Amino acid sequence: MKLKMIPVALAALITATAVTAPVGASVFHAWEVTNVSWGDLLNVRRWPASYSQKQSAYPNGTVLSLTGRCKGGLMLDDIAHLPDWQKRQAVRYKWCEVWHDPANNGQWKTGWVYMKYMRPN
């Protein structure tokens, strides 16, 4: 009887995960926070602007999941084949969407980071 319940539970988990993932994110890209001034943090904003509401902040070395969507129409999938230094140059002055859990409570949401402070992981 218990064995029959495992596929049902697995299907429910997969469905819940698919529903909560951001629209348009087929592959997540791991990028690391870098070059933030000592004692400072990289802010994740609700919208791609420095005056937008801050959702969370992360120190150097934190690896974040990016959805691949960047302001201005750039998609990280389009530059995935480039060497890391060229990827950094392509996004240096852009905002890209991140998938994070700002309250560490399982309530994942999208936000935006300024890519000057990120590097491919």
Side-chain angles (χ1 to χ4, degrees):
M1 183 79 166
K2 288 183 182 179
L3 291 178
K4 290 181 182 179
M5 295 176 68
I6 291 173
V8 173
L10 183 58
L13 177 63
I14 290 169
T15 301
T17 303
V19 170
T20 59
V23 175
S26 58
V27 175
F28 288 98
H29 303 266
W31 284 62
E32 181 179 340
V33 177
T34 188
N35 296 327
V36 175
S37 298
W38 187 86
D40 203 357
L41 301 169
L42 175 64
N43 293 323
V44 176
R45 303 281 181 174
R46 184 172 182 179
W47 302 106
S50 60
Y51 54 82
S52 179
Q53 176 187 3
K54 184 172 85 168
Q55 292 180 330
S56 190
Y58 299 97
N60 284 327
T62 303
V63 177
L64 297 174
S65 294
L66 277 66
T67 66
R69 187 170 71 138
C70 299
K71 192 170 180 189
L74 177 71
M75 297 296 289
L76 295 179
D77 288 339
D78 295 339
I79 62 170
H81 66 283
L82 298 175
D84 285 352
W85 70 270
Q86 287 182 321
K87 289 177 192 174
R88 288 190 73 187
Q89 288 300 315
V91 299
R92 183 168 173 77
Y93 300 109
K94 296 201 178 292
W95 288 85
C96 292
E97 191 177 46
V98 65
W99 181 239
H100 69 131
D101 181 7
N104 290 323
N105 62 2
Q107 299 295 313
W108 291 81
K109 58 176 62 177
T110 57
W112 293 84
V113 293
Y114 193 58
M115 295 299 287
K116 179 179 178 181
Y117 303 102
M118 299 291 290
R119 71 172 174 219
N121 184 289

